[in-house]
């Protein structure tokens, strides 16, 4: 339990309150923003907490143990630097949030109430709603290696070692049309069906310049490519915009060997027996269940 200083305890016990809430938000790209429900801006520890943000917070639930606590913060889309496009493009996903109880008459008299991360973010025309998750949710994430058929590395990382800068793994293109969520692109190179499935598309111009999206599916359409994205960017996609594409990987050993020539760095277990083997019983008539090797 966090200790409460004597000055803060005196303010909590006082008949008149000079306390307010402050939220320090740190995005993964290094951007730091401050918000407060006080009627004037406050500043401490190098961060200015803006008052004209329309921020409110719901009750944050917590429990003893490692159960994940949760709450919400609701705000109007009117704060400096807080753009609807950034929310839609996921720039605030996973951002860290510190919640402070501050004496606005003396900002040095403050108490760190909680530290959370932003989960799901939804937004409407004038306001947004962000889920706050306690740090206990980090214990739900998979850490270390997993015993699985597919590769546990990410394409191009230090364990995978594929050089995505090679010309054979990326290309550029120009948007020709957008129809029912599918983007038709004229690519600078010739690539087969599915080459960019699971890969990334980055807009190099237009309303979504700099936005990166994951490719859901890629198929050839005559001499062009038809691409579907897992999530649509906030800005409109129009013909003539430039895009950059990077190859995708389905994490199978077959793709690692044939598509990337990288089977030596494959981080999975392709010969791991499946459920059909687990629930089977020994039989001298079954070639793979007679007690001998699976690979003969």
């Amino acid at each position: 339990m966090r200790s409460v200083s004597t000055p803060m305890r005196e303010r909590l016990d006082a008949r008149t309150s000079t306390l307010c809430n402050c939220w320090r938000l740190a995005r993964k790209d290094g951007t730091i923003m401050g918000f407060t429900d006080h009627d004037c801006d406050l500043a401490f520890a190098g961060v200015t907490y803006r008052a004209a943000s329309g921020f409110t917070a719901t009750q944050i639930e917590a429990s003893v143990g490692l159960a994940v606590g949760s709450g919400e913060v609701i705000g109007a889309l009117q704060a400096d630097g807080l753009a609807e496009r950034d929310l839609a493009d996921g720039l605030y996903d996973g951002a860290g949030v510190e919640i402070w109880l501050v004496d606005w008459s003396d900002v040095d008299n403050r108490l760190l109430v909680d530290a959370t991360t932003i989960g799901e973010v939804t937004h409407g025309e004038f306001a947004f709603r962000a889920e706050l998750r306690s740090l206990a949710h980090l214990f739900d994430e998979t850490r270390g290696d997993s015993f699985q058929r597919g590769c546990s590395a990410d394409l191009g990382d230090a364990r995978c070692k594929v050089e995505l800068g090679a010309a054979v793994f990326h290309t550029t293109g120009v948007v020709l049309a957008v129809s029912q969520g599918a983007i038709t692109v004229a690519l600078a190179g010739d690539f087969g069906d599915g080459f960019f499935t699971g890969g990334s598309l980055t807009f190099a111009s237009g309303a979504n310049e700099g936005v990166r999206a994951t490719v859901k599916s890629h198929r050839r359409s005559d001499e062009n490519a038809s691409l579907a994205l897992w999530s649509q960017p906030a800005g409109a996609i129009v013909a003539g915009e430039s895009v950059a594409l990077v190859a995708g990987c389905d994490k199978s050993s077959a793709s690692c060997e044939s598509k990337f020539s990288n089977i030596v760095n494959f981080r999975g277990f392709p010969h791991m027996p499946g459920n059909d083997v687990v629930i089977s019983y020994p039989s001298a008539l079954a070639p793979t269940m007679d007690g001998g090797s699976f690979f003969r």
Side-chain angles (χ1 to χ4, degrees):
M1 180 178 180
R2 293 181 177 89
S3 60
V4 180
S5 64
T6 300
M8 176 58 71
R9 188 175 300 279
E10 291 175 351
R11 297 314 309 165
L12 290 170
D13 294 337
R15 298 184 63 180
T16 58
S17 175
T18 59
L19 299 177
C20 64
N21 295 301
C22 291
W23 297 272
R24 180 185 184 275
L25 187 149
R27 296 191 330 203
K28 289 186 174 180
D29 62 1
T31 300
I32 297 177
M33 306 170 70
F35 309 95
T36 179
D37 57 7
H38 187 46
D39 57 2
C40 296
D41 292 352
L42 300 174
F44 57 86
V47 178
T48 299
Y49 295 80
R50 303 295 181 183
S53 59
F55 259 48
T56 58
T58 65
Q59 179 178 354
I60 298 177
E61 298 179 354
S63 58
V64 177
L66 298 179
V68 179
S70 63
E72 287 183 335
V73 63
I74 305 168
L77 293 171
Q78 63 185 41
D80 293 340
L82 185 61
E84 180 180 2
R85 168 182 167 176
D86 293 342
L87 289 168
D89 291 336
L91 294 184
Y92 291 88
D93 293 351
V97 178
E98 292 181 357
I99 304 172
W100 290 85
L101 184 64
V102 181
D103 179 359
W104 51 261
S105 65
D106 178 12
V107 295
D108 290 331
N109 184 20
R110 59 183 184 266
L111 173 68
L112 178 61
V113 177
D114 204 353
T116 64
T117 57
I118 292 181
E120 181 181 8
V121 178
T122 57
H123 61 93
E125 185 177 0
F126 302 109
F128 72 94
R129 183 185 300 268
E131 177 192 18
L132 298 180
R133 300 173 179 171
S134 69
L135 297 182
H137 86 279
L138 298 174
F139 290 102
D140 291 335
E141 297 180 359
T142 301
R143 303 283 178 172
D145 296 333
S146 299
F147 187 65
Q148 58 187 30
R149 282 180 176 271
C151 183
S152 61
D154 292 326
L155 182 62
D157 68 10
R159 299 171 65 230
C160 170
K161 300 181 182 181
V162 167
E163 180 52 62
L164 293 179
V168 293
F169 297 135
H170 67 88
T171 190
T172 58
V174 177
V175 175
L176 299 178
V178 181
S179 176
Q180 297 180 345
I183 308 172
T184 302
V185 179
L187 299 180
D190 186 20
F191 298 88
D193 273 353
F195 189 85
F196 294 104
T197 298
S200 65
L201 179 148
T202 303
F203 292 91
S205 64
N208 300 300
E209 184 176 357
V211 174
R212 180 179 177 181
T214 302
V215 178
K216 181 179 181 181
S217 65
H218 162 223
R219 63 180 179 84
R220 295 189 61 168
S221 179
D222 297 328
E223 295 182 355
N224 302 314
S226 179
L227 304 170
L229 306 180
W230 277 110
S231 60
Q232 293 296 318
I237 306 172
V238 299
E241 294 180 352
S242 300
V243 297
L245 287 159
V246 177
C249 178
D250 62 5
K251 297 185 179 294
S252 68
S253 58
S255 293
C256 189
E257 182 174 14
S258 61
K259 184 175 181 178
F260 300 102
S261 301
N262 193 47
I263 192 64
V264 68
N265 292 313
F266 185 70
R267 303 297 177 176
F269 302 86
H271 305 305
M272 183 174 70
N275 290 336
D276 55 337
V277 176
V278 173
I279 64 176
S280 299
Y281 55 87
S283 172
L285 301 179
T288 59
M289 295 299 293
D290 61 358
S293 172
F294 279 108
F295 314 105
R296 292 198 291 259

